[in-house]
Amino acid sequence: MAVRADFNSYNDGYTFLDFYPDERRLRVTDDPEVPGYDHPFSVSFYWDGDKLEHGQREFVGIEIADIRRLHDEDLRAVAYLDLPLVDIPERGLYKVSVADVLRKARDRTLVSTVD
């Protein structure tokens, strides 16, 4: 089952993918443990703050300062997290990985299907 997500990317490269956009959740940033990966300041991982406080990690989003500077190693780190698949109906995407969404955005092949 895929998670409903919102995706936005702007001309300056700022990009975010937000899980559970219709739910009010405390979203906090925290770098996940990914072997061999040094987290750049330009990529922020967001987790459910209430669950994180109790030692549980539930991913709720990712923010990238400039999608054009997202590297393959960043995409490998995202894939390593084994996140749920996402549905982004406004973009015509269903059951796709977070890494694939970000790759398409970086490669500028992710376009809106809505006018």
Side-chain angles (χ1 to χ4, degrees):
M1 185 171 144
V3 173
R4 169 76 173 87
D6 276 348
F7 174 84
N8 287 286
S9 190
Y10 299 92
N11 289 336
D12 64 357
Y14 174 75
T15 300
F16 67 91
L17 180 67
D18 185 24
F19 279 34
Y20 314 107
D22 299 328
E23 296 180 21
R24 293 186 52 108
R25 292 185 183 220
L26 175 62
R27 288 157 161 60
V28 298
T29 185
D30 187 43
D31 293 337
E33 296 278 333
V34 178
Y37 179 66
D38 292 323
H39 295 276
F41 71 91
S42 60
V43 178
S44 298
F45 295 87
Y46 287 90
W47 309 91
D48 183 302
D50 294 326
K51 291 183 179 180
L52 193 60
E53 195 173 282
H54 293 95
Q56 301 171 342
R57 283 189 176 270
E58 183 176 358
F59 184 81
V60 294
I62 190 168
E63 176 181 60
I64 299 143
D66 188 343
I67 193 71
R68 299 165 295 196
R69 295 178 183 244
L70 191 70
H71 300 285
D72 287 340
E73 62 199 42
D74 301 317
L75 294 171
R76 282 191 292 276
V78 170
Y80 174 84
L81 297 175
D82 196 30
L83 302 172
L85 298 176
V86 295
D87 287 341
I88 309 172
E90 298 82 7
R91 303 290 178 135
L93 298 173
Y94 298 92
K95 295 183 181 177
V96 295
S97 72
V98 171
D100 283 344
V101 171
L102 298 176
R103 183 176 297 104
K104 287 175 179 288
R106 181 193 65 187
D107 298 344
R108 298 182 181 262
T109 58
L110 179 58
V111 296
S112 177
T113 58
V114 181
D115 292 326

